[in-house]
Amino acid sequence: MWFNPDRAVLAAWDQFPADARPRPILISAPPLIGASGFGSDGDAKVAALDGRYELAATLPSDPPPTLPVAMPGGPAELPTRTAQQAFDALRATAPEKPSAPGGPPLRITNVELGTATFGSDRGPLTLPAWLFTAPGAVEPLAWPAVADSAFWPRRPNALVMSGGAHLGADGSTVTVNLPAPGPVCPGGQLLRYEPAALESAAAVVVGLRAVPYGVQPGTPSPDCATDLVGRTADYPVRLASPLGGRVLLSPIGVGYTEVLAVVPG
């Protein structure tokens, strides 16, 4: 994971309203909880993962126009979606190439309004959710009962949030967990990784620079092999200004960026 000092990474987030209240929700994708918890019922699990559902229950009445949510920036009233809209969203999760085309659908036998905790870029977030009960499921499937307008970009996001980061009490120091150097064969170049950051009004991108500092002692050998263990380390980064509502990013390859989940540390 190498840091590329290219502001094009930040430009993709220029329109993100970091200072909005409430701040738009950045949620992991798919925003569906329970789709893999089916015990030994393989057909049910495959049907859920393929977005094949059959409604065998009466849908509840529409919820109030807004519902209270404890957001990271403070309490907010968020717009809601109906049970029908949530069920339609469930079915829209079907992949282009289903695992078992034509297989039996998953029967939904009860639908009710409750809450569920979803992963977000500001840590676990409890939201109003439509809970769909299905035979064989370990728990009800949950889909946010919050309208698309509360999310960025105006829908539940297809985001990967790995590693994570902790925000210091000063609001300006973030500690990110990123790759660490592995063992080096004799005669190989020794590297240390140093964190670096680029900032904009909407986002911060943090990555690593590889800095050579010597050569591994010993006689080089063509038979030397190192392990493939993935190592990580915590890297504190002092930002030029408090993180606030800005999105924290890290590059994972050319043209690809992940959103890191930020929690108080």
Side-chain angles (χ1 to χ4, degrees):
M1 183 179 295
W2 305 115
F3 179 75
N4 181 9
D6 183 352
R7 290 196 173 272
V9 173
L10 296 178
W13 291 88
D14 279 349
Q15 301 304 312
F16 183 78
D19 295 329
R21 294 293 181 269
R23 176 183 184 268
I25 299 170
L26 293 172
I27 196 170
S28 306
L32 173 61
I33 295 176
S36 59
F38 289 92
S40 60
D41 193 339
D43 287 342
K45 179 178 179 178
V46 170
L49 295 176
D50 285 349
R52 288 183 282 107
Y53 300 95
E54 177 185 291
L55 187 60
T58 301
L59 292 175
S61 302
D62 292 351
T66 64
L67 286 171
V69 177
M71 298 284 285
E77 289 281 336
L78 298 185
T80 58
R81 78 174 77 221
T82 67
Q84 182 65 62
Q85 290 169 332
F87 183 67
D88 292 343
L90 270 182
R91 293 190 295 185
T93 61
E96 293 183 6
K97 294 182 178 180
S99 304
L106 181 64
R107 295 180 73 249
I108 302 299
T109 57
N110 187 63
V111 184
E112 62 182 333
L113 183 63
T115 61
T117 301
F118 300 86
S120 84
D121 80 319
R122 287 301 188 261
L125 180 61
T126 299
L127 295 174
W130 289 109
L131 307 179
F132 297 88
T133 299
V138 175
E139 60 182 344
L141 298 117
W143 191 274
V146 175
D148 286 347
S149 59
F151 296 88
W152 184 268
R154 301 294 179 257
R155 61 176 176 80
N157 303 79
L159 298 174
V160 177
M161 300 176 198
S162 63
H166 291 85
L167 182 63
D170 61 1
S172 297
T173 301
V174 290
T175 300
V176 294
N177 186 263
L178 295 174
V184 177
C185 288
Q189 188 174 62
L190 294 171
L191 301 173
R192 66 173 178 269
Y193 295 171
E194 295 181 350
L198 284 177
E199 303 181 45
S200 72
V204 175
V205 58
V206 176
L208 299 173
R209 288 193 176 101
V211 179
Y213 68 91
V215 174
Q216 180 72 10
T219 302
S221 170
D223 297 326
C224 177
T226 58
D227 62 59
L228 299 178
V229 175
R231 293 169 172 81
T232 64
D234 289 335
Y235 299 88
V237 181
R238 175 76 177 181
L239 305 180
S241 60
L243 180 64
R246 294 183 293 172
V247 181
L248 185 64
L249 311 166
S250 184
I252 55 175
V254 178
Y256 294 91
T257 305
E258 66 180 350
V259 177
L260 299 180
V262 181
V263 297

